[in-house]
Amino acid sequence: MSKVLILTGAGLSAESGIRTFRDSNGLWEEHDVMEVCSVEGWLRDREKVLHFYDMRRKDSEHKDPNAAHFMIAEMGHKFGKEVSIITQNVDDLLEKAGCENVIHLHGKLRELRCEMCGHLFDIGYRSIKDIPECPSCKSQALRHHIVMFGEPAPFYQKLYNELTSTELLVVIGTSGEVLPVDQFASYTKYSILNNLEHSMAINHMIFTHTFYEKATTAAPKIKKLIEKYFETGKV
Ligand code: NAD
Ligand code: ZN
């Protein structure tokens, strides 16, 4: 349980060349989000969904973390267990920047899940087509390990548990359409919001500091505030 919680969304990885989906009118890399990110879409066309995540996984191999990912990693190393890092992102850019123990609320592109036994395993940047069976039970019923609209998200409980001890919440790059980040901010003593622009889904008045700018330019300011919090107990 940590005093500082850094909660990130697709906007964090935007400057690394991974597109967000709300910024492109409900499209994620030219695909209708509900076709490739919902249970209905999955039941309608399984191959299409698996192919979509194959492409995202392959694409992510050549993406590099940006200054905001590195700032988060630095804070994680400097303040250890006092900082928790939770992301809605399915890419591995926080890990590439050196972050440890990141909670991926919606799963990870690099992992597959066996539908028979639930076994999870890392396939790197390979295609699901190259993985013949589950290494644990040998079933061929494999799928992406990413939460779709209409499915439970088991890690949300971890987020809620973390929030009970959070004094400073740092939100970077999320439209708040999926997670009610302003409600979370209302539970915590201090909060920081960084998005490119105002989102209708977020009541920004609740936040102690707001930065409407790129995550890479906000990062040094956010870093100073986190350090100030650890020095003085305030931001
Ligand atoms: P979103 O697409 O709904 O919203 C993106 C937010 O980021 C917006 O508020 C926008 O103002 C902000 N933003 C855009 N560029 C920015 C920048 N350079 N710096 C700072 N902020 C910037 O994102 P979401 O709330 O994370 O929801 C999208 C869902 O889709 C997530 O749950 C995630 O699972 C999935 N997704 C993941 C990725 C990824 O892993 N990189 C990419 C797209 C979508
Ligand atoms: Zn299995």
Side-chain angles (χ1 to χ4, degrees), residues 34 50 53 61 75 81-82 102 110 124 129 159 178 194 198:
M34 289 319 275
L50 293 178
Y53 289 113
E61 180 173 7
M75 294 297 95
K81 286 198 178 354
E82 289 302 341
V102 180
R110 289 180 44 170
K129 294 192 193 104
L159 168 63
V178 176
N194 167 218
H198 174 62

Side-chain angles (χ1 to χ4, degrees), residues 9-11 13-15 18-23 28 88-91 106 173-178 194-197 199 213-215:
S13 297
E15 289 168 81
I18 300 182
R19 267 187 280 165
T20 67
F21 63 56
R22 308 281 158 191
D23 291 335
W28 189 8
Q88 297 174 83
N89 293 349
V90 294
D91 65 55
H106 297 157
T174 176
S175 63
E177 303 250 358
V178 176
N194 167 218
N195 268 330
L196 213 47
E197 71 256 309
S199 159
E213 60 184 287
K214 289 178 178 173

Side-chain angles (χ1 to χ4, degrees), residues 167-171 181-182 184-194 202-212 225 228-229 233-235:
E167 289 204 344
L168 169 60
L169 172 69
V170 180
V171 176
V181 293
D182 48 3
F184 299 162
S186 72
Y187 306 148
T188 62
K189 203 162 169 185
Y190 304 109
S191 49
I192 298 168
L193 175 68
N194 167 218
I202 300 177
N203 174 5
H204 62 185
M205 303 297 282
I206 290 180
F207 288 82
T208 322
H209 296 276
T210 46
F211 298 103
Y212 286 119
L225 287 170
K228 182 177 172 198
Y229 168 76
K234 294 186 231 163
V235 298

Side-chain angles (χ1 to χ4, degrees), residues 7-228:
L7 179 60
T8 65
L12 173 69
S13 297
E15 289 168 81
S16 295
I18 300 182
R19 267 187 280 165
T20 67
F21 63 56
R22 308 281 158 191
D23 291 335
S24 38
N25 303 319
L27 295 177
W28 189 8
E29 305 281 350
E30 267 73 63
H31 295 264
D32 181 321
V33 165
M34 289 319 275
E35 276 183 29
V36 291
C37 304
S38 76
V39 174
E40 290 85 347
W42 173 237
L43 294 175
R44 205 175 304 127
D45 194 342
R46 198 179 155 103
E47 288 306 311
K48 183 179 190 168
V49 174
L50 293 178
H51 178 69
F52 173 76
Y53 289 113
D54 260 358
M55 300 309 287
R56 302 283 71 73
R57 190 179 307 111
K58 194 163 169 237
D59 187 54
S60 70
E61 180 173 7
H62 307 290
K63 303 294 187 220
D64 297 317
N66 63 50
H69 295 100
F70 285 115
M71 180 277 289
I72 295 170
E74 189 188 338
M75 294 297 95
H77 287 134
K78 189 163 177 188
F79 300 109
K81 286 198 178 354
E82 289 302 341
V83 174
S84 285
I85 303 165
I86 302 188
T87 188
Q88 297 174 83
N89 293 349
V90 294
D91 65 55
D92 61 351
L93 294 181
L94 282 165
E95 286 82 1
K96 278 184 181 165
C99 289
E100 285 155 26
N101 304 320
V102 180
I103 296 173
H104 285 262
L105 284 177
H106 297 157
K108 296 180 185 174
L109 273 175
R110 289 180 44 170
E111 285 183 357
L112 294 188
R113 183 164 85 228
C114 172
E115 290 180 297
M116 296 305 285
C117 74
H119 183 65
L120 281 183
F121 55 106
D122 189 324
I123 62 162
Y125 305 101
R126 284 182 291 166
S127 162
I128 193 168
K129 294 192 193 104
D130 298 334
I131 315 295
E133 57 187 27
C134 166
S136 176
C137 75
K138 312 292 176 210
S139 157
Q140 291 175 3
L142 299 174
R143 61 162 278 185
H144 53 297
H145 178 49
I146 291 180
V147 174
M148 295 181 287
F149 289 112
E151 286 185 319
F155 281 128
Y156 279 31
Q157 196 52 49
K158 286 201 180 190
L159 168 63
Y160 297 132
N161 290 347
E162 272 304 329
L163 278 167
T164 61
S165 68
T166 303
E167 289 204 344
L168 169 60
L169 172 69
V170 180
V171 176
I172 303 175
T174 176
S175 63
E177 303 250 358
V178 176
L179 289 181
V181 293
D182 48 3
Q183 270 184 42
F184 299 162
S186 72
Y187 306 148
T188 62
K189 203 162 169 185
Y190 304 109
S191 49
I192 298 168
L193 175 68
N194 167 218
N195 268 330
L196 213 47
E197 71 256 309
H198 174 62
S199 159
M200 294 305 284
I202 300 177
N203 174 5
H204 62 185
M205 303 297 282
I206 290 180
F207 288 82
T208 322
H209 296 276
T210 46
F211 298 103
Y212 286 119
E213 60 184 287
K214 289 178 178 173
T216 52
T217 61
K221 301 171 201 170
I222 294 174
K223 176 184 154 173
K224 275 202 183 120
L225 287 170
I226 295 173
E227 289 172 336
K228 182 177 172 198

